[in-house]
Structures are given as C-alpha cells and as structure tokens.
Amino acid sequence: GIGIKLQNLLAPIISHVSVYGFKTGIELYDRLRNIIIDGCHIWDNENYGIHWNGVSLHQNNIIGCHISRSKKALFFDNGDIHNVQINGCDIEGAGSENLIHMLATASGSQVSQVQITGNTFEDHNLNTSALIKAESDNNRYIGIIEVVGNQFSGSVQDAIEISRVYGINVTSNSWFNSEGFLLKASRSADITLNSNTIYPPPGFMPWEMLNSALFYYGGGGLTGATISDNIVTRASTQIIYINTGNSNVANLIITGNNIQYRSGYVVENEMESKYIFEIRGNNLYNVNLSHNNVRAVDGLTRGFLLRDSTSYEKVMITNNMIRGIEANRNKYFLPDLVEDVSTENIVAMYNI
C-alpha cells in the first residue's frame, strides 16, 4: 500500500517521519500547494519513495531527507508540477531504474522550475538506467531544470539523461566511481554544462572501470548549448559526442575544458576509431570550439572532429591544445579539410 497520501491540501508539512516497507512511501495526488517534506527517512519502499501521481502541484520543498532502496526514489509521473526544490538529501538505490524520474507524456503534463541542489546520488553500481532521467513528448513540457552542486557516484549508467527538455543547467557537480556520460541528451535545447568535475579518486575503484565521459547528444537538432570549464581526469573514452544526423547544430560553445587521459592507459580498438570531441550535423551555425586543453596518451591519434555538414556558418576553432597526439590529418579534422562543402565564415587557427 501507500505509507502517506496527500490529496487536495494547502501547506501540509511532513517532518521527521520514517516511512518504509510500503509499495509507495509518500504519494502526492490530485491538487496540492505549498508542501514541505523535511528530515524524513523514506526507504525500502518497493516502487516509489515519493510519487507525484498526476498531481497539480506548485511549491514543494524536500529538505534533508534520506531516500533509498526503491525502484524509483522520486517519480514525477505526469501532472502539472512546478517550483520544486530538492536540497541536501542522500538519495540512493540498490538496482534502481532511476533515482529521480521526471515524465511528461500525458496530455497537458508539465514539469518545470525544479532545483536539485546539494544532494548525494549513488546506486552502488547496480542501476539499470540513468540516475536522473527527464523525458517529455510532443506538445508536453519539461524545462527550467537546475542540477547544481551534487555528487554522483556508484553508477554503471549515465548520471543524467534527458529527452525533449528545454532549459537545463548542470553546474558544479562531481561525478566519480561511475561509467557513462554525465549528461546524455536528445531533442533538447538550451543546455548548460559548466564547471563539473569527473574523476576517480585514486584507489576508489578498479582501473578497468574508468569510462566516465562528459556529454552525448544524439537525435534531433541541437540549438543552444554551452559546455565549458569542466574537468575530466584519468579518462579512457570519448569525452564529447554530438551527432544530430539530418538536423542542425546551432549556437554551440565548447570552451575551457580540461581533459586528462589516464597515464598508462592502453588504447583499445574501439577508441582507436573515435575522436576525443566529435561533432556531426547537417549544418553547423555559430559554433565555437576554443581554449580546450587535452593531455592524451600513446595510441590516441584522433583529436577533434567537425564533420558531415552541408554548410558551415560562423564556425570558430581556435586556441586548442592537444598534447600527446602527433600532428596528422585526424588530430584536428576540421571543415577546411573537407572539399565538398561551403567553408565560408570559418576560422581555424592557433591549434597545437
């Protein structure tokens, strides 16, 4: 059954309560306003820790809770949900599908203005999907999402996965003892990925599991993304992959990222054919790839690629440095090396 169910209430407070052993720990239903859930243990509930079940809800604070051991720790299950703050919580799983899942596929569903700040996320390397997942459908909406100052660890999937999300800020998080991408996206826009740190603490995990990467985008056009000032240490895989197929890439900035491949890493066959940064799309407009610093290792021969476009407009690739890859065609495979497309308005210089 359900431990605590809130329905048609104004300003209820759930504080210092333990809720465990149910199908659903806390269910928010129908119409609610101004909800506070504070200092609670919500654990070992089979399906959901907290379930926003098609609710119309504005203003919801979840503060200082321990939420763990459910199929989905926090599940925003359609509805009309706005102004949610999840702050200072320990959110864990043990084979969860997701620790936070935002879903807006039913008619009229919206999820917006969600702040996820100062939490720890961990699934002990047993999760079956991304730790945080957000997905909407045509004519639905998820957006204005902030994921700031959190710690992600113990994941064998991506940290964050989004589809049709419009406006997400992923800033100042740490991501370690994990595999996959910090952010995996499709059919989304207005993305900020800034000042995050991806690293394995020495001795914290086996060397062979170090496959964390920064950003993956596949499917649909990409309009508006800034990927800047991130640090990836002891890398062993491709760091940024963007492929919009027959759609365009526009207003993309990748700058100031610091990438260090693991000393002694043996490059495997799969990585031999990959670029460290790979950007592909039908047309590239207003793209700035600059001031990135990469320390590669022996065996890596491919650096940055911008390719597959039928046209390039206002593209700048400048002041990048890749150490450890000798000069060759694939170190910087840029538009000026592609003969069958228009290359007006391209600046490629001071890359070493």
Side-chain angles (χ1 to χ4, degrees):
I2 300 170
I4 298 173
K5 183 172 182 175
L6 303 183
Q7 180 177 359
N8 291 330
L9 295 172
L10 174 65
I13 298 174
I14 301 173
S15 181
H16 295 83
V17 174
S18 291
V19 185
Y20 62 94
F22 295 94
K23 291 285 187 181
T24 297
I26 297 174
E27 183 176 289
L28 308 178
Y29 183 70
D30 207 347
R31 182 179 175 86
L32 297 164
R33 295 292 184 271
N34 305 344
I35 314 300
I36 294 176
I37 302 173
D38 169 48
C40 295
H41 288 287
I42 305 166
W43 59 282
D44 204 20
N45 296 289
E46 183 177 347
N47 290 330
Y48 315 121
I50 302 176
H51 184 197
W52 289 259
N53 188 5
V55 66
S56 170
L57 181 151
H58 294 210
Q59 296 88 40
N60 186 186
N61 294 350
I62 301 167
I63 308 162
C65 294
H66 164 235
I67 308 168
S68 67
R69 299 185 67 86
S70 297
K71 182 171 70 176
K72 299 178 189 288
L74 306 175
F75 185 26
F76 298 80
D77 186 4
N78 290 291
D80 185 39
I81 303 166
H82 309 277
N83 302 325
V84 178
Q85 291 79 43
I86 303 167
N87 308 131
C89 297
D90 175 41
I91 304 173
E92 299 193 25
S96 299
E97 290 181 9
N98 313 107
L99 298 183
I100 297 179
H101 186 189
M102 289 175 266
L103 179 69
T105 55
S107 178
S109 291
Q110 297 185 65
V111 179
S112 77
Q113 295 162 278
V114 179
Q115 292 184 324
I116 302 168
T117 61
N119 305 284
T120 56
F121 293 91
E122 182 178 8
D123 206 296
H124 302 90
N125 295 323
L126 295 170
N127 50 312
T128 60
S129 185
L131 297 178
I132 296 177
K133 187 173 184 178
E135 53 182 329
S136 68
D137 208 342
N138 291 328
N139 303 315
R140 318 292 187 259
Y141 179 75
I142 295 179
I144 317 175
I145 308 298
E146 297 179 1
V147 184
V148 178
N150 302 281
Q151 184 181 92
F152 296 94
S153 66
S155 174
V156 290
Q157 304 289 335
D158 305 305
I160 305 165
E161 181 180 352
I162 62 172
S163 178
R164 290 191 169 94
V165 172
Y166 305 97
I168 183 168
N169 179 1
V170 180
T171 296
S172 298
N173 302 282
S174 63
W175 168 235
F176 68 95
N177 189 23
S178 299
E179 300 191 31
F181 288 88
L182 177 60
L183 178 60
K184 185 176 184 178
S186 64
R187 295 176 174 84
S188 298
D190 304 327
I191 297 167
T192 298
L193 189 62
N194 173 255
S195 297
N196 300 283
T197 302
I198 301 176
Y199 66 102
F204 202 91
M205 63 180 295
W207 288 118
E208 62 268 17
M209 292 182 64
L210 305 183
N211 291 309
S212 300
L214 189 58
F215 183 66
Y216 177 100
Y217 191 95
L222 173 60
T223 301
T226 298
I227 305 167
S228 63
D229 300 317
N230 299 284
I231 295 176
V232 182
T233 66
R234 302 185 184 91
S236 64
T237 190
Q238 188 173 51
I239 304 303
I240 294 175
Y241 178 81
I242 298 170
N243 189 344
T244 61
N246 293 325
S247 298
N248 298 331
V249 176
N251 305 326
L252 171 66
I253 297 173
I254 302 175
T255 186
N257 298 288
N258 190 347
I259 313 300
Q260 301 177 44
Y261 278 81
R262 189 179 78 236
S263 177
Y265 163 60
V266 178
V267 178
E268 298 177 353
N269 292 335
E270 183 180 1
M271 190 58 201
E272 286 178 354
S273 63
K274 290 183 177 181
Y275 289 82
I276 297 168
F277 292 179
E278 184 168 340
I279 303 167
R280 298 178 181 268
N282 186 45
N283 297 293
L284 270 64
Y285 304 124
N286 298 352
V287 174
N288 183 345
L289 178 65
S290 65
H291 294 91
N292 298 285
N293 179 35
V294 177
R295 188 193 71 191
V297 293
D298 291 342
L300 285 176
T301 61
R302 298 169 185 259
F304 298 170
L305 176 142
L306 279 76
R307 194 65 209 271
D308 287 358
S309 295
T310 57
S311 68
Y312 300 81
E313 295 185 18
K314 301 296 189 293
V315 174
M316 179 176 291
I317 310 102
T318 65
N319 296 99
N320 298 286
M321 181 169 63
I322 303 176
R323 176 187 173 192
I325 295 180
E326 295 183 0
N328 71 91
R329 178 180 175 85
N330 289 313
K331 185 172 183 177
Y332 292 99
F333 201 98
L334 305 177
D336 59 348
L337 298 176
V338 182
E339 298 176 355
D340 57 347
V341 298
S342 171
T343 57
E344 295 180 0
N345 302 316
I346 293 175
V347 175
M349 59 193 303
Y350 303 129
N351 300 296
I352 61 174

